[in-house]
Amino acid sequence: RSDRDWSSDVCSSDLPRFLRSLFGPGDRVVVASLKPGGVMVNEPFARDDAIRALLELGDVPNMYFRASAYDGTDGYTKVNCARIGALFLDIDYGEAGHKKKSPFKTLEDAIGYLLTMPLRASAAWHTGHGVQACYLLREPYAFLSGGGNALSLMRYEGVSRKLSQMAMSDATYTPEHPFRVPLSLNDKREMDPGLPVVRGEALWMDENRRYAFEEIEAAV
């Protein structure tokens, strides 16, 4: 991890940088929070309002962002996605805090395998019990016809699924999937009371490392 260039202590600058690399100034960003009982509560914001809200909620555990910009309609499923700025991975390690067995035992195992991928991830962050990563796109990938065009959605999911399989990632390949906000608190005590609350760690971020969608499609 010699190229780490995020500071886990400077959330006020790193988080805006990260979200602005994923979302354009006119995008609506869905901020999600995981409540007791596993209930996910969604709230849409203009991008910069989402950044301000998440900075204010820095000590609230289990905060997420949904991967795609939102089309402003009434739902938060894949057909409500307007466009997406990256492809994402969610790689677990160890046994603590997970419902199923992971192929990786340690954080170093997960990072080491991620670095063997044909393309280098643009950003990666430690969530406390796993590693999430994204491959930034040069141009946002649009989901046509208000977010639900079958061909564009199927193409994205097909490439994203293959990327996840290559990385031995969880099945987080759909465009509406929620990902943990980098540097946020991860609280899994409802699942296992013995687990501590942990704050995520930034691993690396290169917002200039971007790919054409077709490059990722060819690589997988």
Side-chain angles (χ1 to χ4, degrees), residues 1-39:
R1 288 184 279 167
S2 60
D3 63 347
R4 182 186 305 169
D5 58 3
W6 275 5
S7 166
S8 296
D9 299 323
V10 194
C11 183
S12 60
S13 61
D14 290 338
L15 183 60
R17 177 184 167 199
F18 173 74
L19 289 176
R20 287 175 182 141
S21 74
L22 286 172
F23 299 102
D27 283 342
R28 292 191 64 76
V29 178
V30 177
V31 173
S33 56
L34 186 63
K35 303 299 184 183
V39 177

Side-chain angles (χ1 to χ4, degrees), residues 78-79 141-143 147-158 175:
K78 65 178 70 176
V79 299
Y141 184 93
F143 301 107
N149 179 275
L151 291 179
S152 64
L153 184 59
M154 287 174 61
R155 184 184 181 196
Y156 178 86
E157 288 190 352

